[in-house]
Amino acid sequence: MARKKIIAGNWKMNKTPSEAVALANELKALVDTDEVDVVFCVPAIDIIPVVDAVKGTKISVGAENLYFEESGAYTGEISPNMLVDAGVKYVIIGHSERREYFAETDETVNKKILKALEHNITPIICCGESLTQRKQGVYIDWIRMQIKIAFQNVTADQAKTCVIAYEPIWAIGTGETATADQAEEVCLAIRECIKEVYDEATADAIRIQYGGSMNAGNAKELLAKPDIDGGLIGGASLKPDFKDIVFPN
Ligand code: PEP
């Protein structure tokens, strides 16, 4: 089954609202396409101006987080309704930086995924191993556990719409990329895990990205692998080179 590629930028905690609009305007001229789904995942305060900046293009805007309650006394948090009303289509959930610095667990990741799906926001579900886990040879077991907990109570129809981002922690922001074979090995294992949890149709439909120092130089080889359906891009999403990941050559 042909899956449409999805290239998402994770702008992280970079760009003020006016800087974000300038970057969105610069990039939209380069990556407005039907061939690939292109998403700018931006800081919460940048969402409304960036949605406005990309209006009339095929680019979608994503959030970097959401909270799993509808409303109430959760100072500092952002609800799914707020994101939907602002024009958000995707949300990154369970990024390793949120797990490390903000104590996100597999259980809170699962709650956030269920809440995003309830509101028709597509979750980009991050998983990935540390360098120690890779060296110990337990990385596939670890990622299978992350996936199984993330998808608890998610239906097969919902799972088909999700995006999974395999992001080895040792490759994020380090300049060290997983080789295309290393990335493919894990993306295939994730697809097999989805097949076990659901069925072949769900495994065939779900899109799996690689993330970790992906750039203009290595994107083509990574994206050529059969189980890598796109990329979640940090550093390189803040530069015009982002277009060479959307259109690798
Ligand atoms: C990320 O943070 O999701 C990421 C992949 O970052 P980088 O591309 O900078 O490694």
Side-chain angles (χ1 to χ4, degrees), residues 7 11 15 22-32 38 40 215-216 233-249:
I7 304 292
W11 292 10
K15 306 297 173 190
L23 179 62
N25 283 333
E26 184 183 10
L27 293 181
K28 78 178 180 188
L30 305 172
V31 298
D32 183 19
V38 177
F40 297 162
N215 58 41
I233 323 297
S237 70
L238 300 170
K239 300 184 265 185
D241 296 16
F242 184 61
K243 78 160 187 329
D244 298 319
I245 303 174
V246 174
F247 306 111
N249 49 51

Side-chain angles (χ1 to χ4, degrees), residues 10 12 95 97 167 171-173 211-214 232-235:
N10 174 10
K12 308 197 184 188
H95 191 281
E97 288 153 15
E167 298 208 303
I172 297 180
S213 299
M214 202 192 250
L232 182 57
I233 323 297

Side-chain angles (χ1 to χ4, degrees), residues 27-100:
L27 293 181
K28 78 178 180 188
L30 305 172
V31 298
D32 183 19
T33 179
D34 259 339
E35 288 164 39
V36 178
D37 287 333
V38 177
V39 187
F40 297 162
C41 296
V42 307
I45 198 167
D46 297 343
I47 289 171
I48 290 174
V50 171
V51 166
D52 197 43
V54 301
K55 211 163 261 163
T57 73
K58 312 210 171 49
I59 298 162
S60 300
V61 175
E64 298 178 13
N65 187 27
L66 94 174
Y67 197 54
F68 51 74
E69 296 291 350
E70 293 293 337
S71 64
Y74 303 102
T75 303
E77 292 297 322
I78 298 189
S79 75
N81 272 331
M82 293 172 189
L83 296 180
V84 170
D85 192 52
V88 160
K89 304 287 182 213
Y90 293 83
V91 60
I92 299 173
I93 295 180
H95 191 281
S96 60
E97 288 153 15
R98 293 215 54 90
R99 293 176 191 256
E100 181 178 354

